[in-house]
Amino acid sequence: MAAAHSEEAPDGPADLVLLGTAATMDTARPDASAVAVRGTRIVAVGGPAEAARWTGPGTRTVHLGDRCLLPGFVEAHGHAIAEARLFGTDLVDIRPMTVPTADEVVAVIRKTVTARGTDGAAFIGWDPLGHGADLPEPTRAWLDAMAPDTPLVILTQAVHLAFFNSAAADRAGLGRGTPDPPGARFGRHADGTPDGTAHGGAAIRLLFAGREDPREQFTAAALREMARFSQVGVTTASEMACMPEWRRALLDMAQAGLPQRVRLRLYSPSETTPTRGRRPGEGTDLTREIGVKVWVDGSPFVGSIAASFPYLDTPLTRRLGFGTRPRGTANYSWDALAEIVEAYVPLGWQVACHAHGDLAIDMVLDAYESVLSRYPRRDHRLRLEHAGAMRNDQFARAAALGVTASIFIDHVYYWGDVLTDDLFGPTYGSRWAAARSAVDAGMRISLHNDPPATPEDPLHNITVATTRRSRTGRLLAPEECLTVDQALRAQTIDAAYQLFCDDITGSLTPGKYADLVVLSADPRRVAPERIEDIDVLATFLAGRQVFGETLV
């Protein structure tokens, strides 16, 4: 058995000792029966001897019994602040998980438009795949009929496409002469006027320009979102599209000592060249800016991934206008992508490239290999995001380059049937989000929910990754199932590695912050399909309990 871990010279007894089953995610000692915390840090991990050594008159001792202690979960690819604005401001949630049917969606839109009046209304979660065939076609004419005089904007479930009416176009100043932003575009009529569709984040953001919240409202929404994350055991999360105005507010929040419940790692949308004077690493252990995000292609659900294979010819793809030809169009040319990557990587920025289609993934790996050949970095941790249609040879190539991947495993659960039967067929659809192939190739991966695309729920992710069951119970590509240990690593230490914070969190290791989650059962000791039913009983950030009833 590996030796127990403990700091050499304690300055006094621990504040808290937890006794019972602990899954540490530390390969030097995977299991422990005692974890001691003093102040913000873990000071010892071991067994009864360590517990006795660190227990004093003021130490609070908790006997876990059947409960299990783990490091706090890590959401390596999320949009925590975008979701905070969704649930904390005027953006209305119409995702299929919230509003199940097409008729209900239309009713919510009508009711909200009437209630909001001249302020206009915006929605997120339009999903023909999830809401069903009765969902209307959101043409500009239909949107204008729904809201003739007030702005109306509807974002799709995947948030890669938005629909807007004439009043919204007028408010945003969009017209024939409006240029397409880099990496995004507006759909247009033959004469060049916008047709009411915005493709890609940069175009969608223009629809909301000048509508930021006051600082106090922003802070309150962000803190509420962190509270939601802590309820599911998340102690570290990323914001993968941190707007400039959010960045300063979030860094100031951490400096001000507000009761923040989640560590944040910030990624800004990439520009052609980095903003002068900015360097990676600004911030504190609580909130730090580390990278940039590039959307190399789009979403399989809106027909915008760069893939070598065709969509199926099905009633759904015909209705959505996807066609059956391979969708080989990326948001950037290879030269344009390489220019961005080579502007950031030599300066120490981590680059995270959204890429679902295999052609987009090839482009990213080519750009990464090119920049690393001329600007070698021993520990770059360059990222691939989602990697839905990634091939085995691409996983092997990425592993050889030291590239990591964040896998959107919830696609298997919510849209696995649609991917297989309606969009791509079993060869590509059932194997979507091939996490086991990534791990077998030697990659360190994370699992993510990409909130607000799907609800934040690490334990549900682990069930999906280890069973690959869709919402209907269908088994999809069982050879791609992770083991429970692999899935736990992908939600803890390997996800922390991806965010460059595995030195301070992600495992129960002396010296790291006491970012902890207490579960009602050990996920390694229950059937994989039951892991999602385990309760999060308590969450700690830096030794402070931020969720749950007081442990006894």
Side-chain angles (χ1 to χ4, degrees):
M1 178 181 287
H5 290 192
S6 179
E7 291 192 346
E8 295 179 359
D11 296 323
D15 299 313
L16 173 67
V17 170
L18 296 133
L19 299 174
T21 300
T24 70
M25 299 298 114
D26 185 339
T27 55
R29 182 173 187 134
D31 294 282
S33 58
V35 174
V37 175
R38 187 176 62 224
T40 63
R41 304 275 182 165
I42 297 169
V43 291
V45 177
E50 285 68 43
R53 181 181 176 219
W54 285 90
T55 300
T59 302
R60 181 163 72 99
T61 300
V62 173
H63 295 270
L64 294 173
D66 293 334
R67 298 169 292 186
C68 182
L69 180 67
L70 274 83
F73 295 125
V74 179
E75 170 56 87
H77 181 114
H79 298 274
I81 306 308
E83 185 165 76
R85 300 194 71 246
L86 162 63
F87 291 116
T89 59
D90 63 351
L91 204 60
V92 178
D93 183 5
I94 56 170
R95 296 175 298 176
M97 308 88 175
T98 307
V99 184
T101 70
D103 287 345
E104 290 173 295
V105 168
V106 174
V108 169
I109 293 173
R110 289 189 190 279
K111 181 179 179 180
T112 306
V113 166
T114 300
R116 295 283 172 86
T118 57
D119 290 340
F123 303 82
I124 185 170
W126 186 272
D127 184 9
L129 289 72
H131 288 127
D134 293 336
L135 201 63
E137 184 180 357
T139 62
R140 186 156 173 176
W142 183 83
L143 293 163
D144 284 345
M146 291 289 285
D149 304 311
T150 60
L152 173 59
V153 178
I154 303 176
L155 281 66
T156 61
Q157 170 73 24
V159 202
H160 286 273
L161 173 63
F163 310 104
F164 57 93
N165 70 349
S166 297
D170 292 342
R171 181 179 62 187
L174 302 178
R176 183 184 305 173
T178 304
D180 289 338
R185 65 182 177 86
F186 293 101
R188 299 182 186 273
H189 295 298
D191 64 355
T193 58
D195 66 4
T197 59
H199 303 258
I204 293 170
R205 287 193 292 274
L206 291 178
L207 297 171
F208 297 93
R211 300 179 62 206
E212 287 305 313
D213 309 322
R215 178 66 71 90
E216 296 79 9
Q217 185 176 345
F218 174 90
T219 300
L223 292 176
R224 285 195 299 269
E225 180 69 7
M226 294 180 202
R228 275 190 287 270
F229 274 43
S230 67
Q231 291 170 12
V232 292
V234 171
T235 55
T236 301
S238 66
E239 171 48 67
M240 298 302 296
C242 188
M243 299 296 103
E245 59 273 16
W246 302 353
R247 170 184 171 272
R248 189 68 265 160
L250 293 168
L251 293 173
D252 289 347
M253 281 174 56
Q255 292 284 0
L258 294 175
Q260 191 166 321
R261 302 189 187 195
V262 174
R263 299 187 191 283
L264 292 176
R265 292 300 178 264
L266 309 181
Y267 292 76
S268 299
S270 64
E271 302 173 20
T272 303
T273 57
T275 302
R276 186 180 297 275
R278 282 177 60 191
R279 292 290 183 271
E282 181 181 356
T284 67
D285 284 350
L286 195 57
T287 299
R288 194 177 300 282
E289 183 176 28
I290 63 172
V292 295
K293 169 87 174 291
V294 188
W295 284 262
V296 178
D297 68 355
S299 165
F301 310 126
V302 298
S304 57
I305 66 170
S308 64
F309 49 86
Y311 280 87
L312 299 177
D313 181 13
T314 65
L316 179 63
T317 58
R318 288 196 294 272
R319 180 164 65 90
L320 297 177
F322 290 173
T324 57
R325 296 186 305 277
R327 308 290 291 192
T329 302
N331 294 332
Y332 297 88
S333 68
W334 190 92
D335 287 340
L337 176 62
E339 181 180 0
I340 293 171
V341 172
E342 294 185 10
Y344 282 95
V345 171
L347 298 179
W349 291 95
Q350 186 190 35
V351 177
C353 285
H354 168 119
H356 265 305
D358 58 336
L359 295 181
I361 292 164
D362 275 337
M363 182 186 294
V364 173
L365 293 177
D366 285 347
Y368 284 170
E369 185 170 16
S370 174
V371 72
L372 292 173
S373 69
R374 283 176 292 132
Y375 303 98
R377 280 174 56 188
R378 183 181 60 84
D379 190 21
H380 54 79
R381 306 187 199 184
L382 297 175
R383 296 179 51 163
L384 277 164
E385 307 308 303
H386 308 320
M390 197 162 174
R391 306 185 308 262
N392 283 354
D393 63 296
Q394 292 175 320
F395 286 126
R397 183 184 178 196
L401 290 171
V403 172
T404 72
S406 193
I407 306 294
F408 197 167
I409 199 65
D410 236 0
H411 274 181
V412 175
Y413 178 76
Y414 284 108
W415 296 283
D417 297 318
V418 170
L419 286 162
T420 303
D421 297 336
D422 298 299
L423 299 185
F424 301 126
T427 300
Y428 302 103
S430 66
R431 191 181 168 275
W432 198 263
R436 183 57 179 263
S437 290
V439 172
D440 287 349
M443 297 185 74
R444 294 183 74 168
I445 67 166
S446 64
L447 303 175
H448 67 255
N449 286 109
D450 197 16
T454 63
E456 184 63 35
D457 194 344
L459 289 167
H460 171 74
N461 282 348
I462 292 168
T463 281
V464 177
T466 55
T467 65
R468 289 190 65 90
R469 295 279 182 183
S470 73
R471 202 160 30 168
T472 63
R474 180 178 180 180
L475 178 61
L476 298 168
E479 70 277 7
E480 292 298 339
C481 289
L482 294 179
T483 68
V484 172
D485 285 339
Q486 289 169 337
L488 285 169
R489 288 187 62 87
Q491 285 282 181
T492 55
I493 186 62
D494 287 349
Y497 167 87
Q498 200 165 64
L499 295 179
F500 276 100
C501 58
D502 56 312
D503 58 330
I504 62 169
T505 192
S507 66
L508 305 181
T509 302
K512 291 189 177 184
Y513 285 108
D515 297 348
L516 317 170
V517 60
V518 178
L519 304 179
S520 60
D522 185 345
R524 303 167 302 173
R525 301 290 181 264
V526 303
E529 61 270 19
R530 303 260 49 98
I531 292 174
E532 65 180 350
D533 298 324
I534 293 174
D535 293 324
V536 173
L537 302 178
T539 306
F540 292 77
L541 183 73
R544 176 174 65 95
Q545 188 169 348
V546 294
F547 170 72
E549 297 182 3
T550 301
L551 296 175
V552 294

